[in-house]
Amino acid sequence: MGHRRSTWVRYLLLTTAALVFAFPFYFMVVGAFQQAPTNSPESLVPTSGWTLGNFAAIDARIDLVRSLVNSLIFTVGVLLGTVVFGLLAGYAMARLDFRGRGATWVLMLLVQMVPFQLLMIPLYVQITRGFGLGDTYLGMIAPFAINTTAVFIFTQFFRALPQEMFEAARVDGAGELRILTSIAAPLVRPALVTVVLVTFIGPWNEFLWPFLITKDASLQPMAVSLANYISNVAQSTANPNGAILAGATALAFPVVILFVLFQRYFTASDLGTAVKG
């Protein structure tokens, strides 16, 4: 009886926590599609009808499709750089013995302690004046192409793989790149999915750096376009709160979809199965 009661209490607490966590998303979606302004407790229940007018008001002022394409180019470019360089650097830090590896590891950890905002101005000068990459996709992508957090995650997962597996592959004549791509990388799929999800959220929601790099509206990602819309235009619409929440919904929807699709991969893999006997 006592065990059943504790189980019900646990489920009740978890359900309450889930509802509290989900409430802002509910409020955002209801406000985005509701006709009347969501500025009172009664408006939390959608009784005034549903509408796409809030999204149409955004699309009338900014090109949502073009902004979405820009965000995808920016985010996919950052993801490619993060995964490729993260895998290479993580494998080298975990499994290769080279001079200065310890110092490189310490330096990487120190870089993680420096907020990006402190580096933004010197990076801006270097990217725009040194490399001439202002108003370009490459200028937006370059500072985020190497992610020390991704390197750290991959390094820790590669260190957890059995050493015998690497030794057996080298005895069979496999090179380091072949070991990485054919043996090690497939075994760290949970780390790969984690890095993709964590990295995706950063550039997708980033608006300060793209705003600095490009003043061309045709190149600005969705976060920048929506930030400009919310700060300059939304208050002049018939439903200001609805316009703001519609912009937040448009920005958050791809992230939610990506998490739903890949959350099942957040499971621990049996790394020991790679070794026979």
Side-chain angles (χ1 to χ4, degrees):
M1 185 65 180
H3 176 71
R4 181 178 300 178
R5 180 178 299 176
S6 63
T7 301
W8 278 104
V9 171
R10 188 183 305 114
Y11 282 138
L12 179 62
L13 292 176
L14 290 175
T15 302
T16 303
L19 291 175
V20 171
F21 177 80
F23 177 77
F25 296 96
Y26 169 80
F27 180 82
M28 179 180 67
V29 173
V30 168
F33 288 96
Q34 197 169 355
Q35 291 180 352
T38 54
N39 52 10
S40 64
E42 293 79 7
S43 62
L44 296 177
V45 180
T47 58
S48 61
W50 299 94
T51 180
L52 295 176
N54 297 323
F55 294 92
I58 297 177
D59 194 53
R61 298 301 184 95
I62 63 176
D63 191 345
L64 277 178
V65 175
R66 182 62 186 176
S67 299
L68 176 62
V69 172
N70 292 336
S71 291
L72 289 175
I73 293 174
F74 175 39
T75 305
V76 171
V78 172
L79 284 176
L80 288 176
T82 298
V83 171
V84 172
F85 294 119
L87 282 171
L88 292 173
Y91 179 80
M93 295 297 299
R95 290 301 173 184
L96 298 184
D97 187 14
F98 58 91
R99 180 177 298 179
R101 185 175 67 170
T104 304
W105 177 256
V106 173
L107 180 62
M108 187 194 72
L109 295 179
L110 291 176
V111 169
Q112 287 187 291
M113 300 178 186
V114 181
F116 179 75
Q117 289 76 8
L118 295 180
L119 304 175
M120 192 174 295
I121 298 303
L123 279 175
Y124 170 77
V125 174
Q126 184 179 24
I127 293 294
T128 57
R129 299 183 181 179
F131 300 138
L133 295 178
D135 288 325
T136 64
Y137 291 120
L138 184 58
M140 290 187 285
I141 294 171
F144 301 94
I146 300 178
N147 190 321
T148 55
T149 302
V151 175
F152 178 83
I153 293 174
F154 283 128
T155 300
Q156 297 303 101
F157 268 79
F158 284 135
R159 283 177 176 172
L161 295 176
Q163 178 64 27
E164 296 86 352
M165 179 182 65
F166 295 92
E167 295 176 353
R170 295 188 181 101
V171 169
D172 291 339
E176 298 299 335
L177 187 60
R178 175 68 181 277
I179 296 174
L180 170 62
T181 56
S182 300
I183 300 175
L187 292 175
V188 294
R189 186 173 61 179
L192 182 61
V193 175
T194 301
V195 167
V196 168
L197 287 177
V198 172
T199 305
F200 179 89
I201 294 173
W204 185 262
N205 294 327
E206 178 66 36
F207 66 92
L208 285 178
W209 177 255
F211 177 78
L212 285 176
I213 287 296
T214 176
K215 299 300 185 288
D216 187 351
S218 64
L219 295 177
Q220 290 178 346
M222 183 179 289
V224 178
S225 299
L226 289 176
N228 291 330
Y229 173 81
I230 290 172
S231 60
N232 299 322
V233 182
Q235 295 301 324
S236 63
T237 61
N239 186 357
N241 289 344
I244 293 173
L245 294 175
T249 301
L251 190 62
F253 185 73
V255 179
V256 174
I257 294 298
L258 186 71
F259 178 80
V260 170
L261 291 177
F262 289 98
Q263 58 86 25
R264 64 190 181 95
Y265 292 107
F266 281 98
T267 57
S269 60
D270 187 4
L271 300 177
T273 57
V275 181
K276 296 180 179 180

